[in-house]
Amino acid sequence: MRKLGIIALALFMQTAFAQVNRFVYQVTMKPDASNKSDIKTENAYLDISPEKSVFYSENRIKRDSILQKAFQGGGGRGSINRDQMEGLRSIINYSIEKDKKTRKLSLKTESEEMHICMKKTDRSTGKFLLKQ
């Protein structure tokens, strides 16, 4: 009976701690191909759960949190610190979400959302063919 309890506890702990993994990436890019000296760097997150994976900008999430807090406090736009918001301007203006069950990729920008279906092309290499 004691062994069964230990196994149950181990399985519970495994499921409790294996919910979401977050990886932090430092993204460096040149937004303007003609200006090679203009290099921007920002942190981005990749959250992986059993159901989906999401890639998004750290600054964008911080800006959204500040705006949400200001509007919940009843202050509206007048209570937002513009200098603080300017410092959190993001160079990554999109998020990418992958639903693992349907194998659908979603590219979300502020103005639109695009869905991409993934179809595996080669089992040996694992390369994917993307189609809209």
Side-chain angles (χ1 to χ4, degrees):
M1 191 66 172
R2 182 179 167 117
K3 288 182 183 180
L4 184 60
I6 292 173
I7 291 172
L9 180 63
L11 289 174
F12 173 74
M13 289 180 62
Q14 181 182 6
T15 57
F17 293 114
Q19 296 300 317
V20 176
N21 292 315
R22 174 172 285 173
F23 299 94
V24 180
Y25 290 92
Q26 183 177 14
V27 179
T28 303
M29 67 174 73
K30 297 177 184 174
D32 184 8
S34 63
N35 186 0
K36 303 251 187 239
S37 64
D38 183 23
I39 299 172
K40 307 237 186 238
T41 302
E42 181 178 342
N43 286 341
Y45 296 139
L46 175 62
D47 291 342
I48 300 175
S49 70
E51 298 84 28
K52 65 181 180 177
S53 301
V54 183
F55 179 82
Y56 54 93
S57 162
E58 179 183 53
N59 286 349
R60 194 166 179 192
I61 294 301
K62 287 180 181 178
R63 285 175 61 100
D64 288 348
S65 296
I66 291 169
L67 289 172
Q68 183 179 14
K69 187 175 180 180
F71 285 115
Q72 283 179 348
R77 290 181 159 253
S79 66
I80 298 171
N81 183 345
R82 291 193 180 272
D83 293 332
Q84 184 181 22
M85 295 297 286
E86 189 65 31
L88 294 175
R89 202 169 279 279
S90 179
I91 56 173
I92 303 170
N93 297 323
Y94 56 85
S95 63
I96 302 171
E97 185 174 319
K98 177 184 174 185
D99 186 335
K100 292 183 180 179
K101 291 179 183 165
T102 62
R103 301 178 57 88
K104 185 187 290 187
L105 282 176
S106 300
L107 176 67
K108 298 177 182 178
T109 63
E110 291 179 8
S111 60
E112 65 180 305
E113 182 175 338
M114 182 172 71
H115 295 284
I116 301 169
C117 295
M118 294 174 43
K119 180 182 177 187
K120 202 172 223 182
T121 58
D122 186 359
R123 289 182 190 260
S124 62
T125 63
K127 292 184 180 178
F128 291 98
L129 171 68
L130 300 177
K131 59 182 179 178
Q132 278 185 305

